[in-house]
Amino acid sequence: MSTELLAPLDLAFWHLETTDHPMHLGALAYFDVPASPDGLRTVAGSDEILGLLASRAAAIPRLRMRVRDVLLPVGGAVWAVDNDFDVTRHLRQVRLPAGDFAATACRTAGELMERPLERGLPPWEMYLLTGGPEDSFGVLVKLHHALADGMRAVAIGAGIFDEIAGSRSSGSRPGRRATAGSTPMPRPPGPWRFAGTARGRIEELGRAFGVGASLVGASLVRAARVDPRSRAAFSATSSGTRRLATAVLPLDDVHEVRRVAGGTANDVLLATFAGALRRWMTERGNTLPAADPSALVPVSRRRPGSPVGSGNTLSAYLLGLPVSEPDPWTRLYVVRTAMDRNKAAGPLRGAGAVAVLADQLPPFAHRFGAPLAGNAARMLFDLLVTSVPLPRSALSLGGCPLREVYPLAPLARGQSLAVAMSTYGGRVHIGLVADGRALPDVDRLARSAEEELAALRALVR
């Protein structure tokens, strides 16, 4: 049976999970069902859509892999083909009650995101959401963070779409059980290779020490500057509940602001969200902090044009979101300057490099240090804000065009908000994942993001 060692960072994500803190990311997508010239729908019904999802998911090799513990290395684990793989154990249809389909789907998706994935199976699930208008349906995808970072999640999930699946053979009908098949995977290094890797390991430990020292130093500086008021809105004892909200921003408006202000589209989006937080905190009666909340902004360490590998390859930047600044234009300048400084320093420096440090530690450190590491997030940052790249081309499922897709980031222990953004179809789709009890008004925060971009755009016209 083919196996592949979990990369250190993947192993960290695997062991950080608890019942109240599931470590999966996801996406909530909405599709339109077009009518043919004779007025009939392209896809006959939900059974056909569910069958199509099953067929295409079963054809993605990575979705047939599960995590299995091993004796060596100590504390390690491997990806192994699940010989009893049954795709239907990972797929469900949820019929939503009548009403506002988008609102009901979002609420239901939040409840489904609360549930940890079953660890004895390949760690993923898909849900077909129906019950709304006959010309639309939704799909919720959940992938464990050990299985995929944002870029890998896109690469894996893209396999369900017509444009990617069309390059594979998909003529067979999905059965009750899909055969796992054999997928060539690199095997764990044998003992004869240990001596040859000793020097490399020593160099890795040296890099880990340097990254760790930088991380500790940045964390101490942050601890001295933390204003408890800035954390009150985002840090909470986890209730284990999840509430989702979504926002849509016109991409043309983002680029219009960028052309005048300079910087990147991501700078504009980060500044927009800083302004949204200020609006939201003011409206809910929070005292604006003297020290701004810190956002962890993940960044991929994959080289441009390189293939999407099997392991997570991440670092992050730490960014103070200037919610205390009343002027939108100044907020954008502050964000742009800070991100330029982060990029100049590189992804191996500062508190945001915690993922790099995790990638340098041996497996036993992740297995036995997970309880301690699980509490580190609240000491390093207040919320997560990440961008997930999507293909620029139009996508469809069974001839049904993808209309909207909202990325969903995992929520760290001790925190109550994670924000993910993706661009598709000329619009920026924002998915907000919140602790349901800590932030029951996260919908208002989503609307604040739309209002804030409108205010920025008004300044450049």
Side-chain angles (χ1 to χ4, degrees):
M1 178 174 65
S2 297
T3 58
E4 174 195 355
L5 276 173
L6 266 72
L9 185 54
D10 296 349
L11 195 64
F13 289 140
W14 188 250
H15 289 311
L16 281 172
E17 182 171 70
T18 65
T19 302
D20 288 342
H21 301 91
M23 288 299 296
H24 52 253
L25 44 82
L28 177 60
Y30 295 104
F31 295 85
D32 291 326
V33 181
S36 61
D38 57 7
L40 298 177
R41 288 187 297 152
T42 304
V43 177
S46 57
D47 289 344
E48 286 77 5
I49 299 171
L50 201 62
L52 187 60
L53 285 171
S55 176
R56 291 183 176 172
I60 300 172
R62 199 72 191 171
L63 297 185
R64 301 196 300 269
M65 309 293 286
R66 68 180 183 89
V67 176
R68 179 170 61 82
D69 291 339
V70 292
L71 294 177
L72 291 175
V74 176
V78 296
W79 290 109
V81 174
D82 183 1
N83 290 323
D84 296 321
F85 177 71
D86 183 351
V87 71
T88 62
R89 300 178 71 177
H90 301 264
L91 292 168
R92 298 286 187 275
Q93 180 178 356
V94 179
R95 299 183 186 276
L96 304 179
D100 186 331
F101 180 67
T104 306
C106 203
R107 182 171 62 251
T108 301
E111 295 170 356
L112 294 172
M113 288 294 287
E114 294 176 7
R115 306 176 187 176
L117 296 162
E118 188 172 342
R119 291 173 76 86
L121 299 175
W124 65 274
E125 291 174 350
M126 289 187 192
Y127 294 88
L128 173 63
L129 307 177
T130 60
E134 290 190 350
D135 61 352
S136 66
F137 62 90
V139 174
L140 173 68
V141 180
K142 293 168 56 176
L143 299 171
H144 199 285
H145 209 344
L147 180 67
D149 56 20
M151 290 184 67
R152 271 201 305 160
V154 172
I156 292 171
I160 71 170
F161 292 110
D162 300 337
E163 292 72 19
I164 288 83
S167 62
R168 299 193 303 254
S169 174
S170 56
S172 59
R173 293 180 179 271
R176 178 65 187 171
R177 185 179 297 275
T179 303
S182 78
T183 304
M185 294 286 179
R187 294 182 178 274
W192 61 87
R193 293 181 58 189
F194 289 163
T197 59
R199 178 178 299 176
R201 191 64 189 146
I202 292 173
E203 293 175 352
E204 290 175 0
L205 291 174
R207 287 194 296 270
F209 180 81
V211 172
S214 175
L215 190 153
V216 170
S219 299
L220 291 175
V221 171
R222 167 174 156 75
R225 296 171 55 189
V226 155
D227 183 339
R229 293 174 299 176
S230 71
R231 310 192 67 187
F234 314 115
S235 302
T237 301
S238 177
S239 66
T241 61
R242 294 291 181 269
R243 186 177 179 88
L244 306 186
T246 61
V248 179
L249 307 179
L251 184 59
D252 286 345
D253 290 355
V254 174
H255 285 305
E256 186 175 356
V257 174
R258 177 193 58 80
R259 283 192 292 268
V260 175
T264 68
N266 199 49
D267 293 342
V268 175
L269 291 172
L270 290 168
T272 296
F273 198 75
L277 286 173
R278 178 183 173 87
R279 288 171 180 266
W280 173 71
M281 293 176 71
T282 301
E283 289 183 5
R284 71 198 313 250
N286 293 126
T287 302
L288 293 176
D292 293 319
S294 292
L296 191 73
V297 183
V299 56
S300 174
R301 291 188 290 128
R302 303 185 195 278
R303 294 182 178 179
S306 64
V308 179
S310 58
N312 279 298
T313 308
L314 291 172
S315 183
Y317 298 132
L318 205 62
L319 173 69
L321 293 174
V323 301
S324 58
E325 172 55 54
D327 179 59
W329 204 248
T330 303
R331 281 197 298 269
L332 178 53
Y333 174 78
V334 170
V335 166
R336 178 187 170 187
T337 302
M339 288 302 291
D340 286 346
R341 185 167 56 246
N342 278 331
K343 293 169 188 175
L348 304 183
R349 308 293 299 174
V354 62
V356 180
L357 179 61
D359 209 24
Q360 301 289 332
L361 297 178
F364 70 84
H366 294 301
R367 181 178 291 274
F368 302 112
L372 179 63
N375 295 313
R378 71 178 71 192
M379 297 185 293
L380 296 173
F381 59 96
D382 298 309
L383 69 159
L384 175 77
V385 183
T386 183
S387 294
V388 180
L390 292 180
R392 295 184 180 181
S393 58
L395 300 172
S396 61
L397 174 64
C400 302
L402 174 64
R403 182 179 76 244
E404 302 170 31
V405 55
Y406 299 95
L408 306 172
L411 199 58
R413 184 181 304 179
Q415 296 182 326
S416 54
L417 181 64
V419 182
M421 302 178 285
S422 286
T423 299
Y424 178 77
R427 300 190 297 175
V428 180
H429 296 90
I430 302 177
L432 297 92
V433 179
D435 183 283
R437 293 183 187 173
L439 299 183
D441 58 342
V442 68
D443 308 71
R444 180 65 191 113
L445 176 56
R447 291 194 298 274
S448 294
E450 296 170 348
E451 295 166 359
E452 183 62 21
L453 180 60
L456 270 174
R457 185 195 60 188
L459 292 176
V460 301
R461 287 190 169 178

